[in-house]
Amino acid sequence: MTPVESALVNLGDTLGLTLKLSMQGTLQIILASGMVLDMETEGEASIHAYTVLAPFPVDSRLASFFPAMLEAQLFGRETGDARFGLDADRRQLILHQRFPLRGAEAVDFSAGLERFLSIASLWTARLTAPPENPADTSVAQNEPNNSGPWLRA
């Protein structure tokens, strides 16, 4: 069994699901929270996970979040190994992370994915809060919610 297959079997056990990659090496899971988690394999030893945080273009209120996002991403201060990105073709702000599963960089996939989903949930809430009751954009005051569990189907 490859490291990717093993990681997906373990994740499936956690979720109570049988997870199977498409012929293109992709997998999409809709979590109980409504968040959509997409995964793609990178060979047999790593998985790239990503989720949509908000649509783009953003209004002027959301544009004010960009400095906070860059500050949070600086040296992984509040994003760990996850990174913000813009999918220009789909016009979406995303959070993405590569999970190496073999070698010196190998990670605990389930624990890393829990943290990734916690960070994604925090930023989705910040970016989608109604203007009349905006979420606190202070990077220092908002830590990812590690209370989980986020991995529920």
Side-chain angles (χ1 to χ4, degrees):
M1 187 176 290
T2 69
V4 167
E5 291 168 335
S6 179
L8 292 178
V9 166
N10 291 337
L11 177 60
D13 289 347
T14 299
L15 296 172
L17 300 171
T18 300
L19 301 178
K20 184 171 171 76
L21 293 169
S22 72
M23 294 296 290
Q24 295 79 25
T26 63
L27 174 67
Q28 185 177 76
I29 301 172
I30 301 173
L31 302 170
S33 66
M35 184 183 301
V36 177
L37 173 65
D38 289 289
M39 293 182 274
E40 298 180 8
T41 59
E42 292 182 356
E44 294 183 346
S46 67
I47 296 174
H48 195 97
Y50 56 97
T51 189
V52 175
L53 298 177
F56 189 85
V58 295
D59 60 30
S60 60
R61 179 186 69 83
L62 291 180
S64 68
F65 282 89
F66 292 145
M69 292 171 79
L70 291 172
E71 184 179 347
Q73 186 170 281
L74 180 65
F75 304 121
R77 184 176 296 147
E78 288 188 46
T79 59
D81 292 327
R83 300 288 175 255
F84 298 110
L86 172 64
D87 183 338
D89 293 336
R90 293 189 176 127
R91 306 182 63 77
Q92 299 170 329
L93 292 172
I94 65 168
L95 185 71
H96 62 98
Q97 182 172 342
R98 180 180 171 270
F99 292 92
L101 303 172
R102 181 170 47 200
E105 296 179 64
V107 297
D108 177 339
F109 182 62
S110 291
L113 199 55
E114 282 278 354
R115 174 134 175 92
F116 173 82
L117 293 170
S118 178
I119 292 165
S121 178
L122 171 72
W123 280 97
T124 298
R126 287 179 178 178
L127 292 166
T128 60
E132 62 273 3
N133 186 20
D136 182 4
T137 61
S138 169
V139 174
Q141 293 180 11
N142 284 316
E143 288 296 319
N145 179 356
N146 291 320
S147 63
W150 293 101
L151 292 176
R152 291 178 287 159

